[in-house]
Short mmCIF file of all heavy atoms in Angstrom, two decimals:
data_model
loop_
_atom_site.label_atom_id
_atom_site.label_comp_id
_atom_site.label_asym_id
_atom_site.label_seq_id
_atom_site.Cartn_x
_atom_site.Cartn_y
_atom_site.Cartn_z
N MET A 1 -42.57 -95.20 -15.28
CA MET A 1 -44.01 -95.33 -15.39
C MET A 1 -44.64 -93.95 -15.54
O MET A 1 -44.25 -93.01 -14.86
CB MET A 1 -44.58 -96.00 -14.15
CG MET A 1 -44.22 -97.45 -13.95
SD MET A 1 -45.16 -98.47 -15.05
CE MET A 1 -43.98 -99.75 -15.33
N VAL A 2 -45.63 -93.89 -16.39
CA VAL A 2 -46.36 -92.65 -16.61
C VAL A 2 -47.63 -92.69 -15.78
O VAL A 2 -48.45 -93.59 -15.92
CB VAL A 2 -46.72 -92.49 -18.11
CG1 VAL A 2 -47.58 -91.27 -18.32
CG2 VAL A 2 -45.45 -92.43 -18.95
N VAL A 3 -47.79 -91.74 -14.89
CA VAL A 3 -48.99 -91.64 -14.06
C VAL A 3 -50.04 -90.89 -14.86
O VAL A 3 -49.78 -89.83 -15.40
CB VAL A 3 -48.69 -90.91 -12.73
CG1 VAL A 3 -49.95 -90.72 -11.94
CG2 VAL A 3 -47.64 -91.68 -11.94
N ASN A 4 -51.23 -91.49 -14.95
CA ASN A 4 -52.30 -90.89 -15.73
C ASN A 4 -53.58 -90.89 -14.91
O ASN A 4 -54.33 -91.87 -14.92
CB ASN A 4 -52.47 -91.65 -17.05
CG ASN A 4 -53.38 -90.94 -18.01
OD1 ASN A 4 -54.35 -90.30 -17.61
ND2 ASN A 4 -53.11 -91.07 -19.29
N GLU A 5 -53.80 -89.80 -14.20
CA GLU A 5 -54.99 -89.69 -13.33
C GLU A 5 -56.28 -89.64 -14.14
O GLU A 5 -57.31 -90.15 -13.69
CB GLU A 5 -54.87 -88.47 -12.42
CG GLU A 5 -53.77 -88.58 -11.38
CD GLU A 5 -53.96 -89.68 -10.36
OE1 GLU A 5 -55.11 -90.09 -10.09
OE2 GLU A 5 -52.95 -90.16 -9.83
N GLU A 6 -56.23 -89.05 -15.33
CA GLU A 6 -57.43 -88.97 -16.17
C GLU A 6 -57.86 -90.37 -16.60
O GLU A 6 -59.03 -90.71 -16.53
CB GLU A 6 -57.15 -88.10 -17.39
CG GLU A 6 -58.37 -87.90 -18.27
CD GLU A 6 -58.09 -86.95 -19.42
OE1 GLU A 6 -57.28 -86.02 -19.26
OE2 GLU A 6 -58.68 -87.16 -20.49
N ARG A 7 -56.91 -91.18 -17.04
CA ARG A 7 -57.24 -92.55 -17.44
C ARG A 7 -57.76 -93.34 -16.24
O ARG A 7 -58.71 -94.11 -16.36
CB ARG A 7 -56.03 -93.26 -18.03
CG ARG A 7 -56.39 -94.67 -18.50
CD ARG A 7 -55.26 -95.43 -19.12
NE ARG A 7 -54.72 -94.68 -20.23
CZ ARG A 7 -53.43 -94.58 -20.52
NH1 ARG A 7 -52.54 -95.20 -19.78
NH2 ARG A 7 -53.00 -93.89 -21.54
N HIS A 8 -57.13 -93.14 -15.09
CA HIS A 8 -57.58 -93.82 -13.87
C HIS A 8 -59.04 -93.48 -13.58
O HIS A 8 -59.84 -94.38 -13.29
CB HIS A 8 -56.68 -93.40 -12.70
CG HIS A 8 -57.11 -93.92 -11.38
ND1 HIS A 8 -57.08 -95.25 -11.05
CD2 HIS A 8 -57.58 -93.27 -10.29
CE1 HIS A 8 -57.52 -95.40 -9.81
NE2 HIS A 8 -57.82 -94.21 -9.33
N ALA A 9 -59.40 -92.21 -13.70
CA ALA A 9 -60.79 -91.78 -13.48
C ALA A 9 -61.72 -92.42 -14.51
O ALA A 9 -62.85 -92.83 -14.17
CB ALA A 9 -60.89 -90.26 -13.52
N GLU A 10 -61.27 -92.53 -15.74
CA GLU A 10 -62.09 -93.15 -16.79
C GLU A 10 -62.29 -94.64 -16.51
O GLU A 10 -63.39 -95.16 -16.71
CB GLU A 10 -61.43 -92.96 -18.16
CG GLU A 10 -61.46 -91.52 -18.65
CD GLU A 10 -60.58 -91.28 -19.87
OE1 GLU A 10 -59.93 -92.24 -20.36
OE2 GLU A 10 -60.55 -90.13 -20.33
N ILE A 11 -61.25 -95.30 -16.06
CA ILE A 11 -61.36 -96.72 -15.72
C ILE A 11 -62.34 -96.91 -14.57
O ILE A 11 -63.23 -97.77 -14.63
CB ILE A 11 -59.97 -97.31 -15.37
CG1 ILE A 11 -59.12 -97.44 -16.64
CG2 ILE A 11 -60.11 -98.67 -14.66
CD1 ILE A 11 -57.66 -97.78 -16.39
N LYS A 12 -62.22 -96.09 -13.54
CA LYS A 12 -63.14 -96.18 -12.40
C LYS A 12 -64.58 -95.94 -12.83
O LYS A 12 -65.49 -96.66 -12.42
CB LYS A 12 -62.74 -95.19 -11.31
CG LYS A 12 -61.53 -95.62 -10.53
CD LYS A 12 -61.06 -94.61 -9.51
CE LYS A 12 -62.13 -94.00 -8.68
NZ LYS A 12 -61.61 -93.09 -7.65
N ALA A 13 -64.80 -94.95 -13.69
CA ALA A 13 -66.15 -94.64 -14.17
C ALA A 13 -66.71 -95.79 -15.01
O ALA A 13 -67.88 -96.15 -14.87
CB ALA A 13 -66.14 -93.34 -14.97
N ALA A 14 -65.88 -96.35 -15.87
CA ALA A 14 -66.33 -97.47 -16.71
C ALA A 14 -66.66 -98.69 -15.86
O ALA A 14 -67.66 -99.38 -16.10
CB ALA A 14 -65.26 -97.81 -17.74
N LEU A 15 -65.85 -98.96 -14.84
CA LEU A 15 -66.15 -100.05 -13.93
C LEU A 15 -67.46 -99.79 -13.19
O LEU A 15 -68.31 -100.67 -13.07
CB LEU A 15 -65.01 -100.25 -12.92
CG LEU A 15 -63.73 -100.86 -13.46
CD1 LEU A 15 -62.61 -100.76 -12.42
CD2 LEU A 15 -63.94 -102.31 -13.87
N HIS A 16 -67.62 -98.56 -12.71
CA HIS A 16 -68.83 -98.19 -11.97
C HIS A 16 -70.08 -98.40 -12.83
O HIS A 16 -71.11 -98.89 -12.35
CB HIS A 16 -68.74 -96.74 -11.49
CG HIS A 16 -69.93 -96.29 -10.73
ND1 HIS A 16 -70.18 -96.70 -9.43
CD2 HIS A 16 -70.96 -95.48 -11.08
CE1 HIS A 16 -71.31 -96.15 -9.03
NE2 HIS A 16 -71.80 -95.41 -10.01
N SER A 17 -69.99 -98.04 -14.12
CA SER A 17 -71.15 -98.20 -15.01
C SER A 17 -71.52 -99.67 -15.21
O SER A 17 -72.63 -99.98 -15.61
CB SER A 17 -70.88 -97.53 -16.37
OG SER A 17 -69.96 -98.29 -17.12
N ARG A 18 -70.59 -100.56 -14.90
CA ARG A 18 -70.85 -102.00 -14.98
C ARG A 18 -71.14 -102.61 -13.62
O ARG A 18 -71.20 -103.83 -13.48
CB ARG A 18 -69.64 -102.71 -15.59
CG ARG A 18 -69.43 -102.35 -17.04
CD ARG A 18 -68.11 -102.90 -17.54
NE ARG A 18 -67.96 -102.63 -18.95
CZ ARG A 18 -68.17 -103.52 -19.91
NH1 ARG A 18 -68.48 -104.74 -19.61
NH2 ARG A 18 -68.03 -103.18 -21.18
N GLY A 19 -71.28 -101.75 -12.62
CA GLY A 19 -71.56 -102.24 -11.28
C GLY A 19 -70.35 -102.85 -10.59
O GLY A 19 -70.48 -103.65 -9.67
N LEU A 20 -69.15 -102.45 -11.05
CA LEU A 20 -67.91 -102.97 -10.51
C LEU A 20 -67.08 -101.86 -9.90
O LEU A 20 -67.43 -100.69 -10.02
CB LEU A 20 -67.10 -103.67 -11.62
CG LEU A 20 -67.77 -104.87 -12.26
CD1 LEU A 20 -67.01 -105.30 -13.50
CD2 LEU A 20 -67.86 -106.01 -11.26
N SER A 21 -65.97 -102.22 -9.30
CA SER A 21 -65.06 -101.24 -8.72
C SER A 21 -63.66 -101.82 -8.69
O SER A 21 -63.47 -103.03 -8.88
CB SER A 21 -65.49 -100.88 -7.30
OG SER A 21 -65.34 -102.01 -6.46
N LEU A 22 -62.70 -100.96 -8.43
CA LEU A 22 -61.33 -101.44 -8.26
C LEU A 22 -61.26 -102.37 -7.06
O LEU A 22 -60.50 -103.34 -7.05
CB LEU A 22 -60.37 -100.26 -8.10
CG LEU A 22 -60.21 -99.36 -9.33
CD1 LEU A 22 -59.34 -98.15 -8.98
CD2 LEU A 22 -59.64 -100.12 -10.50
N GLY A 23 -62.06 -102.07 -6.05
CA GLY A 23 -62.11 -102.92 -4.86
C GLY A 23 -62.61 -104.32 -5.18
O GLY A 23 -62.09 -105.31 -4.64
N ALA A 24 -63.60 -104.42 -6.05
CA ALA A 24 -64.12 -105.74 -6.44
C ALA A 24 -63.04 -106.53 -7.18
O ALA A 24 -62.89 -107.74 -6.96
CB ALA A 24 -65.35 -105.57 -7.32
N ILE A 25 -62.29 -105.86 -8.04
CA ILE A 25 -61.20 -106.53 -8.75
C ILE A 25 -60.14 -106.97 -7.75
O ILE A 25 -59.62 -108.08 -7.81
CB ILE A 25 -60.62 -105.62 -9.84
CG1 ILE A 25 -61.66 -105.44 -10.95
CG2 ILE A 25 -59.32 -106.19 -10.40
CD1 ILE A 25 -61.32 -104.41 -11.99
N ALA A 26 -59.83 -106.09 -6.80
CA ALA A 26 -58.83 -106.43 -5.78
C ALA A 26 -59.25 -107.67 -5.00
O ALA A 26 -58.43 -108.57 -4.77
CB ALA A 26 -58.62 -105.24 -4.84
N ARG A 27 -60.50 -107.73 -4.61
CA ARG A 27 -60.98 -108.89 -3.86
C ARG A 27 -60.88 -110.16 -4.70
O ARG A 27 -60.45 -111.21 -4.21
CB ARG A 27 -62.41 -108.66 -3.36
CG ARG A 27 -62.48 -107.70 -2.19
CD ARG A 27 -63.88 -107.61 -1.62
NE ARG A 27 -64.85 -107.02 -2.54
CZ ARG A 27 -64.99 -105.71 -2.77
NH1 ARG A 27 -64.20 -104.85 -2.13
NH2 ARG A 27 -65.89 -105.26 -3.60
N SER A 28 -61.27 -110.07 -5.97
CA SER A 28 -61.22 -111.26 -6.82
C SER A 28 -59.79 -111.73 -7.07
O SER A 28 -59.55 -112.92 -7.26
CB SER A 28 -61.96 -111.02 -8.14
OG SER A 28 -61.22 -110.16 -8.98
N GLU A 29 -58.86 -110.79 -7.07
CA GLU A 29 -57.45 -111.12 -7.31
C GLU A 29 -56.66 -111.31 -6.02
O GLU A 29 -55.46 -111.56 -6.06
CB GLU A 29 -56.80 -110.03 -8.17
CG GLU A 29 -57.38 -109.92 -9.57
CD GLU A 29 -57.19 -111.17 -10.40
OE1 GLU A 29 -56.08 -111.75 -10.35
OE2 GLU A 29 -58.15 -111.58 -11.08
N LYS A 30 -57.35 -111.13 -4.89
CA LYS A 30 -56.73 -111.32 -3.57
C LYS A 30 -55.52 -110.41 -3.34
O LYS A 30 -54.45 -110.85 -2.89
CB LYS A 30 -56.38 -112.78 -3.34
CG LYS A 30 -57.61 -113.68 -3.33
CD LYS A 30 -57.25 -115.11 -3.11
CE LYS A 30 -58.41 -116.05 -3.02
NZ LYS A 30 -59.60 -115.83 -3.72
N VAL A 31 -55.73 -109.14 -3.68
CA VAL A 31 -54.71 -108.11 -3.43
C VAL A 31 -55.40 -106.91 -2.80
O VAL A 31 -56.63 -106.82 -2.78
CB VAL A 31 -53.97 -107.68 -4.73
CG1 VAL A 31 -53.21 -108.84 -5.34
CG2 VAL A 31 -54.93 -107.05 -5.72
N ALA A 32 -54.62 -105.98 -2.31
CA ALA A 32 -55.18 -104.76 -1.71
C ALA A 32 -55.74 -103.85 -2.81
O ALA A 32 -55.21 -103.80 -3.92
CB ALA A 32 -54.10 -104.02 -0.94
N THR A 33 -56.79 -103.14 -2.47
CA THR A 33 -57.37 -102.18 -3.41
C THR A 33 -56.34 -101.16 -3.85
O THR A 33 -56.31 -100.76 -5.01
CB THR A 33 -58.59 -101.48 -2.77
OG1 THR A 33 -59.54 -102.47 -2.38
CG2 THR A 33 -59.24 -100.51 -3.74
N THR A 34 -55.48 -100.75 -2.94
CA THR A 34 -54.46 -99.77 -3.31
C THR A 34 -53.52 -100.32 -4.38
O THR A 34 -53.04 -99.57 -5.23
CB THR A 34 -53.63 -99.32 -2.08
OG1 THR A 34 -53.10 -100.47 -1.44
CG2 THR A 34 -54.47 -98.52 -1.12
N THR A 35 -53.28 -101.62 -4.37
CA THR A 35 -52.42 -102.22 -5.39
C THR A 35 -53.06 -102.09 -6.76
O THR A 35 -52.40 -101.70 -7.74
CB THR A 35 -52.15 -103.70 -5.07
OG1 THR A 35 -51.58 -103.79 -3.76
CG2 THR A 35 -51.23 -104.34 -6.09
N VAL A 36 -54.34 -102.38 -6.86
CA VAL A 36 -55.06 -102.27 -8.13
C VAL A 36 -55.10 -100.80 -8.56
O VAL A 36 -54.91 -100.48 -9.73
CB VAL A 36 -56.48 -102.85 -8.03
CG1 VAL A 36 -57.25 -102.68 -9.34
CG2 VAL A 36 -56.43 -104.32 -7.65
N SER A 37 -55.31 -99.92 -7.62
CA SER A 37 -55.35 -98.49 -7.91
C SER A 37 -54.00 -97.99 -8.44
O SER A 37 -53.95 -97.21 -9.39
CB SER A 37 -55.74 -97.72 -6.65
OG SER A 37 -55.85 -96.34 -6.91
N LEU A 38 -52.93 -98.45 -7.85
CA LEU A 38 -51.60 -98.05 -8.32
C LEU A 38 -51.35 -98.51 -9.75
O LEU A 38 -50.79 -97.78 -10.56
CB LEU A 38 -50.51 -98.60 -7.39
CG LEU A 38 -50.44 -97.95 -6.01
CD1 LEU A 38 -49.48 -98.72 -5.11
CD2 LEU A 38 -50.01 -96.49 -6.13
N VAL A 39 -51.78 -99.73 -10.07
CA VAL A 39 -51.63 -100.23 -11.44
C VAL A 39 -52.47 -99.40 -12.40
O VAL A 39 -52.02 -99.00 -13.47
CB VAL A 39 -52.01 -101.73 -11.51
CG1 VAL A 39 -52.09 -102.21 -12.96
CG2 VAL A 39 -51.00 -102.57 -10.74
N SER A 40 -53.70 -99.11 -12.00
CA SER A 40 -54.59 -98.32 -12.85
C SER A 40 -54.03 -96.93 -13.12
O SER A 40 -54.13 -96.41 -14.23
CB SER A 40 -55.96 -98.20 -12.18
OG SER A 40 -56.82 -97.36 -12.89
N ARG A 41 -53.42 -96.34 -12.10
CA ARG A 41 -52.85 -95.00 -12.24
C ARG A 41 -51.55 -94.97 -13.04
O ARG A 41 -51.17 -93.97 -13.59
CB ARG A 41 -52.56 -94.41 -10.87
CG ARG A 41 -53.75 -93.89 -10.16
CD ARG A 41 -53.32 -93.19 -8.86
NE ARG A 41 -54.40 -92.40 -8.36
CZ ARG A 41 -55.28 -92.83 -7.48
NH1 ARG A 41 -55.21 -94.06 -7.01
NH2 ARG A 41 -56.25 -92.05 -7.07
N GLY A 42 -50.84 -96.09 -13.03
CA GLY A 42 -49.56 -96.13 -13.72
C GLY A 42 -48.38 -96.06 -12.78
O GLY A 42 -47.24 -95.99 -13.23
N HIS A 43 -48.62 -96.09 -11.47
CA HIS A 43 -47.53 -96.07 -10.50
C HIS A 43 -46.80 -97.40 -10.46
O HIS A 43 -45.65 -97.47 -10.05
CB HIS A 43 -48.04 -95.77 -9.09
CG HIS A 43 -48.30 -94.33 -8.84
ND1 HIS A 43 -47.30 -93.39 -8.74
CD2 HIS A 43 -49.46 -93.66 -8.65
CE1 HIS A 43 -47.84 -92.21 -8.51
NE2 HIS A 43 -49.15 -92.35 -8.45
N GLY A 44 -47.49 -98.44 -10.84
CA GLY A 44 -46.92 -99.77 -10.81
C GLY A 44 -47.41 -100.57 -11.99
O GLY A 44 -48.27 -100.12 -12.75
N ARG A 45 -46.87 -101.75 -12.14
CA ARG A 45 -47.25 -102.57 -13.28
C ARG A 45 -47.41 -104.01 -12.83
O ARG A 45 -46.55 -104.56 -12.15
CB ARG A 45 -46.18 -102.49 -14.35
CG ARG A 45 -46.49 -103.35 -15.54
CD ARG A 45 -46.30 -102.60 -16.81
NE ARG A 45 -46.92 -103.34 -17.88
CZ ARG A 45 -46.40 -103.50 -19.06
NH1 ARG A 45 -45.24 -102.96 -19.33
NH2 ARG A 45 -47.03 -104.17 -19.98
N SER A 46 -48.52 -104.61 -13.21
CA SER A 46 -48.79 -106.02 -12.97
C SER A 46 -49.62 -106.49 -14.15
O SER A 46 -50.77 -106.07 -14.32
CB SER A 46 -49.56 -106.22 -11.67
OG SER A 46 -50.11 -107.53 -11.63
N ARG A 47 -49.05 -107.35 -14.96
CA ARG A 47 -49.80 -107.85 -16.12
C ARG A 47 -51.07 -108.57 -15.67
O ARG A 47 -52.09 -108.48 -16.32
CB ARG A 47 -48.92 -108.75 -16.97
CG ARG A 47 -47.84 -107.97 -17.69
CD ARG A 47 -47.03 -108.88 -18.62
NE ARG A 47 -45.89 -108.16 -19.16
CZ ARG A 47 -45.89 -107.53 -20.33
NH1 ARG A 47 -46.99 -107.52 -21.05
NH2 ARG A 47 -44.81 -106.91 -20.75
N ARG A 48 -50.99 -109.27 -14.55
CA ARG A 48 -52.17 -109.98 -14.04
C ARG A 48 -53.29 -109.00 -13.70
O ARG A 48 -54.45 -109.21 -14.07
CB ARG A 48 -51.79 -110.81 -12.81
CG ARG A 48 -52.98 -111.52 -12.17
CD ARG A 48 -52.53 -112.42 -11.03
NE ARG A 48 -51.98 -111.70 -9.92
CZ ARG A 48 -52.61 -111.52 -8.75
NH1 ARG A 48 -53.81 -112.01 -8.56
NH2 ARG A 48 -52.04 -110.84 -7.79
N LEU A 49 -52.96 -107.91 -13.01
CA LEU A 49 -53.98 -106.94 -12.64
C LEU A 49 -54.44 -106.12 -13.84
O LEU A 49 -55.62 -105.78 -13.95
CB LEU A 49 -53.48 -106.04 -11.52
CG LEU A 49 -53.20 -106.75 -10.20
CD1 LEU A 49 -52.66 -105.78 -9.18
CD2 LEU A 49 -54.45 -107.45 -9.69
N GLU A 50 -53.53 -105.81 -14.73
CA GLU A 50 -53.92 -105.12 -15.96
C GLU A 50 -54.94 -105.96 -16.73
O GLU A 50 -55.95 -105.45 -17.22
CB GLU A 50 -52.71 -104.84 -16.85
CG GLU A 50 -51.79 -103.77 -16.28
CD GLU A 50 -50.47 -103.67 -17.02
OE1 GLU A 50 -50.28 -104.34 -18.06
OE2 GLU A 50 -49.60 -102.90 -16.56
N LEU A 51 -54.68 -107.26 -16.82
CA LEU A 51 -55.60 -108.16 -17.51
C LEU A 51 -56.94 -108.24 -16.79
O LEU A 51 -58.00 -108.21 -17.42
CB LEU A 51 -54.98 -109.56 -17.64
CG LEU A 51 -55.82 -110.59 -18.39
CD1 LEU A 51 -56.11 -110.14 -19.81
CD2 LEU A 51 -55.10 -111.94 -18.38
N ALA A 52 -56.93 -108.30 -15.47
CA ALA A 52 -58.18 -108.36 -14.70
C ALA A 52 -59.02 -107.11 -14.92
O ALA A 52 -60.24 -107.20 -15.11
CB ALA A 52 -57.88 -108.56 -13.22
N ILE A 53 -58.39 -105.95 -14.91
CA ILE A 53 -59.11 -104.70 -15.14
C ILE A 53 -59.68 -104.69 -16.56
O ILE A 53 -60.85 -104.38 -16.78
CB ILE A 53 -58.20 -103.48 -14.91
CG1 ILE A 53 -57.79 -103.38 -13.44
CG2 ILE A 53 -58.88 -102.19 -15.37
CD1 ILE A 53 -56.65 -102.41 -13.16
N ALA A 54 -58.84 -105.04 -17.52
CA ALA A 54 -59.27 -105.04 -18.92
C ALA A 54 -60.42 -106.02 -19.15
O ALA A 54 -61.40 -105.68 -19.83
CB ALA A 54 -58.09 -105.36 -19.83
N GLN A 55 -60.32 -107.21 -18.60
CA GLN A 55 -61.38 -108.20 -18.77
C GLN A 55 -62.70 -107.71 -18.17
O GLN A 55 -63.76 -107.95 -18.74
CB GLN A 55 -60.98 -109.54 -18.16
CG GLN A 55 -59.95 -110.27 -18.98
CD GLN A 55 -59.50 -111.56 -18.33
OE1 GLN A 55 -59.55 -111.74 -17.11
NE2 GLN A 55 -59.01 -112.47 -19.16
N ALA A 56 -62.62 -107.03 -17.05
CA ALA A 56 -63.84 -106.49 -16.43
C ALA A 56 -64.51 -105.46 -17.33
O ALA A 56 -65.73 -105.27 -17.27
CB ALA A 56 -63.50 -105.87 -15.08
N LEU A 57 -63.71 -104.83 -18.19
CA LEU A 57 -64.24 -103.81 -19.10
C LEU A 57 -64.43 -104.33 -20.53
O LEU A 57 -64.77 -103.56 -21.43
CB LEU A 57 -63.30 -102.59 -19.10
CG LEU A 57 -63.18 -101.87 -17.77
CD1 LEU A 57 -62.12 -100.78 -17.85
CD2 LEU A 57 -64.52 -101.30 -17.35
N ASP A 58 -64.19 -105.62 -20.73
CA ASP A 58 -64.31 -106.24 -22.06
C ASP A 58 -63.44 -105.58 -23.11
O ASP A 58 -63.86 -105.34 -24.24
CB ASP A 58 -65.77 -106.27 -22.53
CG ASP A 58 -66.62 -107.23 -21.72
OD1 ASP A 58 -66.09 -108.28 -21.30
OD2 ASP A 58 -67.81 -106.93 -21.51
N VAL A 59 -62.23 -105.24 -22.72
CA VAL A 59 -61.24 -104.69 -23.65
C VAL A 59 -59.92 -105.41 -23.39
O VAL A 59 -59.79 -106.18 -22.46
CB VAL A 59 -61.06 -103.16 -23.51
CG1 VAL A 59 -62.34 -102.41 -23.82
CG2 VAL A 59 -60.56 -102.80 -22.12
N SER A 60 -58.93 -105.10 -24.20
CA SER A 60 -57.61 -105.69 -23.97
C SER A 60 -56.77 -104.72 -23.14
O SER A 60 -57.01 -103.51 -23.16
CB SER A 60 -56.91 -105.96 -25.30
OG SER A 60 -56.56 -104.75 -25.92
N PRO A 61 -55.77 -105.23 -22.43
CA PRO A 61 -54.87 -104.32 -21.72
C PRO A 61 -54.20 -103.33 -22.67
O PRO A 61 -53.98 -102.18 -22.30
CB PRO A 61 -53.84 -105.26 -21.09
CG PRO A 61 -54.54 -106.57 -20.96
CD PRO A 61 -55.46 -106.63 -22.16
N GLU A 62 -53.94 -103.76 -23.89
CA GLU A 62 -53.31 -102.89 -24.88
C GLU A 62 -54.17 -101.68 -25.19
O GLU A 62 -53.67 -100.59 -25.48
CB GLU A 62 -53.02 -103.66 -26.17
CG GLU A 62 -51.96 -104.73 -26.00
CD GLU A 62 -52.51 -106.08 -25.52
OE1 GLU A 62 -53.72 -106.19 -25.21
OE2 GLU A 62 -51.70 -107.01 -25.43
N GLN A 63 -55.50 -101.86 -25.13
CA GLN A 63 -56.41 -100.74 -25.39
C GLN A 63 -56.42 -99.75 -24.23
O GLN A 63 -56.55 -98.54 -24.44
CB GLN A 63 -57.83 -101.25 -25.64
CG GLN A 63 -57.98 -101.96 -26.97
CD GLN A 63 -59.34 -102.60 -27.11
OE1 GLN A 63 -59.62 -103.62 -26.50
NE2 GLN A 63 -60.18 -101.98 -27.90
N LEU A 64 -56.30 -100.24 -23.02
CA LEU A 64 -56.30 -99.36 -21.84
C LEU A 64 -54.97 -98.64 -21.65
O LEU A 64 -54.94 -97.48 -21.25
CB LEU A 64 -56.63 -100.15 -20.58
CG LEU A 64 -58.06 -100.63 -20.42
CD1 LEU A 64 -58.21 -101.46 -19.16
CD2 LEU A 64 -59.03 -99.46 -20.39
N TRP A 65 -53.88 -99.36 -21.89
CA TRP A 65 -52.54 -98.81 -21.65
C TRP A 65 -51.66 -99.03 -22.88
O TRP A 65 -50.69 -99.80 -22.83
CB TRP A 65 -51.89 -99.48 -20.44
CG TRP A 65 -52.67 -99.28 -19.17
CD1 TRP A 65 -52.69 -98.16 -18.40
CD2 TRP A 65 -53.52 -100.22 -18.53
NE1 TRP A 65 -53.51 -98.35 -17.33
CE2 TRP A 65 -54.04 -99.61 -17.39
CE3 TRP A 65 -53.91 -101.53 -18.83
CZ2 TRP A 65 -54.93 -100.25 -16.52
CZ3 TRP A 65 -54.79 -102.17 -17.98
CH2 TRP A 65 -55.27 -101.55 -16.84
N PRO A 66 -51.95 -98.37 -23.98
CA PRO A 66 -51.18 -98.64 -25.21
C PRO A 66 -49.69 -98.35 -25.05
O PRO A 66 -48.86 -99.03 -25.65
CB PRO A 66 -51.82 -97.71 -26.25
CG PRO A 66 -52.59 -96.71 -25.48
CD PRO A 66 -52.97 -97.35 -24.17
N GLU A 67 -49.34 -97.37 -24.22
CA GLU A 67 -47.91 -97.05 -24.04
C GLU A 67 -47.16 -98.16 -23.33
O GLU A 67 -45.94 -98.28 -23.47
CB GLU A 67 -47.75 -95.72 -23.29
CG GLU A 67 -48.13 -95.76 -21.82
CD GLU A 67 -49.62 -95.74 -21.52
OE1 GLU A 67 -50.44 -95.59 -22.45
OE2 GLU A 67 -49.98 -95.88 -20.34
N ARG A 68 -47.84 -98.98 -22.56
CA ARG A 68 -47.19 -100.09 -21.86
C ARG A 68 -46.93 -101.27 -22.78
O ARG A 68 -46.10 -102.11 -22.49
CB ARG A 68 -48.07 -100.58 -20.70
CG ARG A 68 -48.25 -99.56 -19.61
CD ARG A 68 -49.07 -100.15 -18.49
NE ARG A 68 -49.35 -99.14 -17.48
CZ ARG A 68 -50.03 -99.37 -16.38
NH1 ARG A 68 -50.49 -100.58 -16.14
NH2 ARG A 68 -50.24 -98.41 -15.51
N TYR A 69 -47.69 -101.34 -23.86
CA TYR A 69 -47.60 -102.49 -24.73
C TYR A 69 -47.07 -102.16 -26.12
O TYR A 69 -47.03 -103.01 -26.99
CB TYR A 69 -48.98 -103.15 -24.87
CG TYR A 69 -49.41 -103.81 -23.59
CD1 TYR A 69 -50.12 -103.11 -22.62
CD2 TYR A 69 -49.09 -105.13 -23.34
CE1 TYR A 69 -50.49 -103.72 -21.43
CE2 TYR A 69 -49.46 -105.75 -22.16
CZ TYR A 69 -50.16 -105.05 -21.21
OH TYR A 69 -50.53 -105.64 -20.04
N SER A 70 -46.66 -100.92 -26.32
CA SER A 70 -46.13 -100.55 -27.64
C SER A 70 -44.81 -101.28 -27.87
O SER A 70 -44.04 -101.55 -26.95
CB SER A 70 -45.94 -99.05 -27.74
OG SER A 70 -45.01 -98.60 -26.79
N ARG A 71 -44.57 -101.56 -29.10
CA ARG A 71 -43.34 -102.31 -29.45
C ARG A 71 -42.30 -101.40 -29.99
O ARG A 71 -42.41 -100.46 -30.55
CB ARG A 71 -43.67 -103.38 -30.46
CG ARG A 71 -44.62 -104.38 -29.86
CD ARG A 71 -44.91 -105.49 -30.85
NE ARG A 71 -46.05 -106.24 -30.40
CZ ARG A 71 -45.98 -107.40 -29.84
NH1 ARG A 71 -44.85 -107.98 -29.65
NH2 ARG A 71 -47.06 -108.03 -29.45
#
């Protein structure tokens, strides 16, 4: 897994601009905030959480993490 702190910061900022947070996604998905944060950073992978983050930002997971979905 590639850790990308810059992308993580961009995701957090984009969520914040929509009045959301990683914590809000964690609550809606019934997981710990740290779990969502780890996925956002690239420490871990969960297609379900990737999709939840992407949907909150009205983009596809492929747009947020192209290296995870490249063929």
Side-chain angles (χ1 to χ4, degrees):
M1 292 284 148
V2 175
V3 176
N4 190 325
E5 293 295 334
E6 183 176 327
R7 182 179 304 140
H8 174 67
E10 290 169 0
I11 288 170
K12 285 176 45 177
L15 287 170
H16 180 74
S17 73
R18 292 171 176 258
L20 298 169
S21 66
L22 294 174
I25 292 172
R27 285 187 294 281
S28 72
E29 295 298 317
K30 297 180 177 32
V31 297
T33 302
T34 54
T35 304
V36 178
S37 183
L38 289 171
V39 170
S40 175
R41 282 186 165 93
H43 280 291
R45 179 133 194 221
S46 165
R47 290 184 188 266
R48 177 175 65 106
L49 295 178
E50 290 170 6
L51 182 60
I53 294 167
Q55 286 177 335
L57 297 174
D58 291 325
V59 298
S60 70
E62 293 87 355
Q63 289 173 286
L64 289 177
W65 300 282
E67 71 283 354
R68 294 182 185 182
Y69 290 89
S70 62
R71 297 182 194 257

